[in-house]
Amino acid sequence: MSDNDTTIPARRRFLVQSAAAAVGAVAGTAHAEEAAPPGIPDWMRAPGADVGSQTYGTPSRFEAGLTRNVPKGLKQYTSASSRSPLQDLDGILTPNGLFYERHHGGIPDIDPAKHRLLIHGLVERPLILTMEDIRRFPSESHIYFLECSGNPGFEAIKGKTASDLVGLVSCAEWTGVRLATVLREAGLRPEAQWVVAEGADAAALTRSIPLAKCLDDALLVYSQNGERLRPQQGYPLRVLLPGFEGNMNVKWLRRLNVSAEPAYSREETSKYTDLMPDGTARQFTFVMEAKSIITRPSGTQRITAGFHEITGIAWTGRGRIRGVQVTTDGGKTWQEAMLQEPVLNRALTRFRLSWTWDGTPTTIASRAIDETGYVQPSFEDLTAVRGLKSFYHNNAVVPWRIAADGEVANGYA
Ligand SMILES: Nc1nc2c(c(=O)[nH]1)N[C@H]1C(S)=C(S)[C@@H](COP(=O)(O)O)O[C@H]1N2
Ligand SMILES: [Mo]
């Protein structure tokens, strides 16, 4: 069978050609012809590598380029972030090694045997728990997204890739204990209204969590996608507040101080408040509102005329995604995308739309609608209300411009 054998149906021929091209990219074009069926590739001529023992499995060496994305020109790395490579991921779960990071004082190296969680303040029985104590409580696993509220800021939506623009979001299956269970063990006093969580990092990051959230779906998690949390994600223990801004999900958790008032910490006064056009600031803006982005095709990719599956992710801190609409004509018309099941509460939802590009320059974009009926706003509609002084909670539609040569670029740039 040769590539130009006209007896192969068009679709088969396309697959044969792409397979040969993919092998060529990997093995070097010299061997691609021999490796393609009916040839016998080198890797079939002798047994492969031994079963892995005493090692942590890693992706194929041909995938070594797939890493987190650290902004260029970073001045220092301890208060910094890295982004998840959204354009290269499929499905809704973020692999642990590619989960976005945001640290204010670097990543502490915590010995779980020495780590302790103190629960005090307005409680009947102050507690100091070991990790073993915490793992004895009844556990739960849930898939939830986590997003930094500075994803992206308002003024410079400058990046090139989906990761540059919106890579401070990820999604995992988290396992831990309900915060309510642990608080009940300590016994809440009637004046209790807030729980102030503190991390064991050099930043001692501190956030106040309203009691209602603590008694609802809040978790203290120790595992992520089936294994212990990564150091970057708060090993050995973190707060997980489904749908709430990333900053409140305190990592390396060492203290819960039950109080009548919030702490008014740095992270809820000078930072993580939203300066409005009239000079007042919104404070305690906890919930992440509905958002979506097309991850393929997206910035820096190049497409050819013809069939494409448009795909991307949508999420909302208010519950489930009800629908995602996609425009392929710069916003003149919007079509309903297909939502991949399962559509989970406060998790990423994958959407898809079949599209045939006719080769003329255009702009594509997605907008999410959540189960409350809230619609992801355009940048114009969002900033008409919020202005441009604010930094956090930009959930505007992300447009991708497609040029005549098929190059996909940031529609804001
Ligand atoms: N102790 C502590 N918790 C923290 C932070 C931190 O620097 N220290 N960063 C916060 C911020 S701003 C975000 S967006 C999330 C990031 O979580 P991740 O690094 O697991 O993605 O953790 C939050 N919890
Ligand atoms: Mo954040």
Side-chain angles (χ1 to χ4, degrees):
M1 184 203 299
S2 79
D3 285 351
N4 46 21
D5 184 344
T6 48
T7 61
I8 308 173
R11 188 177 143 74
R12 275 286 302 288
R13 213 161 55 230
F14 167 75
L15 293 174
V16 168
Q17 281 166 356
S18 335
V23 172
V26 165
T29 27
H31 300 291
E33 300 270 285
E34 299 149 44
I40 308 291
D42 287 350
W43 45 86
M44 285 183 78
R45 293 181 188 275
D50 292 345
V51 72
S53 68
Q54 309 287 312
T55 58
Y56 191 90
T58 50
S60 160
R61 64 193 175 95
F62 298 105
E63 300 298 328
L66 183 58
T67 59
R68 294 182 176 102
N69 161 17
V70 176
K72 286 198 186 67
L74 214 57
K75 295 211 174 53
Q76 51 85 19
Y77 289 79
T78 49
S79 179
S81 56
S82 74
R83 289 148 209 271
S84 188
L86 302 179
Q87 65 280 1
D88 295 314
L89 300 181
D90 296 313
I92 61 168
L93 293 174
T94 312
N96 289 343
L98 298 173
F99 203 96
Y100 89 91
E101 301 166 84
R102 173 72 179 104
H103 321 304
H104 291 73
I107 306 158
D109 182 30
I110 298 179
D111 178 348
K114 295 182 187 156
H115 188 71
R116 297 289 182 273
L117 172 64
L118 166 67
I119 302 157
H120 68 147
L122 297 172
V123 295
E124 304 295 346
R125 296 169 294 279
L127 296 173
I128 293 181
L129 302 175
T130 64
M131 284 309 299
E132 257 176 61
D133 295 335
I134 290 164
R135 289 182 61 85
R136 285 185 60 204
F137 285 105
S139 62
E140 289 183 21
S141 298
H142 299 272
I143 297 175
Y144 292 129
F145 79 82
L146 185 70
E147 184 186 17
C148 179
S149 45
N151 185 37
F154 279 81
E155 289 212 36
I157 310 177
K158 265 195 205 139
K160 291 188 169 156
T161 65
S163 175
D164 294 342
L165 267 74
V166 185
L168 294 176
V169 66
S170 292
C171 184
E173 185 198 54
W174 308 97
T175 301
V177 52
R178 288 249 175 185
L179 177 49
T181 307
V182 176
L183 291 176
R184 222 176 296 124
E185 188 72 10
L188 290 171
R189 303 241 300 263
E191 318 88 270
Q193 289 299 326
W194 295 79
V195 174
V196 180
E198 180 191 89
D201 52 340
L205 187 127
T206 299
R207 285 294 308 248
S208 313
I209 309 162
L211 191 65
K213 185 68 172 177
C214 298
L215 298 180
D216 183 17
D217 53 2
L219 297 172
L220 301 184
V221 301
Y222 40 76
S223 284
Q224 172 189 359
N225 290 332
E227 62 180 1
R228 295 292 181 271
L229 287 173
R230 291 290 172 95
Q232 291 81 354
Q233 268 64 60
Y235 182 84
L237 189 68
R238 91 176 298 169
V239 175
L240 207 289
L241 304 175
F244 275 24
E245 68 178 352
N247 189 263
M248 300 180 71
N249 294 251
V250 175
K251 302 192 277 190
W252 314 296
L253 179 70
R254 72 186 293 261
R255 188 151 79 108
L256 295 170
N257 185 359
V258 181
S259 61
E261 297 288 336
Y264 298 108
S265 71
R266 169 189 182 270
E267 316 299 327
E268 49 206 36
T269 50
S270 93
K271 303 290 176 187
Y272 300 95
T273 49
D274 314 318
L275 188 56
M276 300 293 279
D278 67 0
T280 62
R282 301 198 307 162
Q283 190 175 28
F284 301 126
T285 41
F286 303 137
V287 177
M288 300 303 293
E289 288 179 309
K291 189 158 164 179
S292 68
I293 184 170
I294 294 172
T295 54
R296 210 173 59 230
S298 64
T300 71
Q301 296 172 351
R302 185 185 278 258
I303 61 167
T304 50
F307 175 79
H308 292 275
E309 180 182 73
I310 294 176
T311 181
I313 45 174
W315 62 97
T316 170
R318 293 190 196 276
R320 286 182 174 73
I321 288 292
R322 176 190 290 169
V324 176
Q325 297 173 343
V326 170
T327 180
T328 56
D329 57 12
K332 284 193 219 85
T333 62
W334 295 82
Q335 295 175 67
E336 210 61 44
M338 189 269 275
L339 301 186
Q340 173 71 55
E341 294 289 340
V343 176
L344 299 172
N345 170 36
R346 296 172 173 86
L348 294 187
T349 296
R350 170 75 47 184
F351 64 87
R352 310 174 199 285
L353 182 78
S354 294
W355 176 51
T356 300
W357 185 43
D358 63 8
T360 57
T362 188
T363 294
I364 62 172
S366 62
R367 72 177 176 213
I369 299 137
D370 72 18
E371 65 181 350
T372 69
Y374 175 94
V375 182
Q376 180 184 3
S378 67
F379 187 71
E380 294 68 36
D381 288 350
L382 181 66
T383 51
V385 179
R386 296 261 195 85
L388 283 164
K389 288 182 176 152
S390 170
F391 179 79
Y392 305 99
H393 298 283
N394 174 0
N395 66 326
V397 163
V398 176
W400 297 116
R401 255 186 300 105
I402 303 179
D405 64 359
E407 186 83 31
V408 186
N410 181 351
Y412 285 121

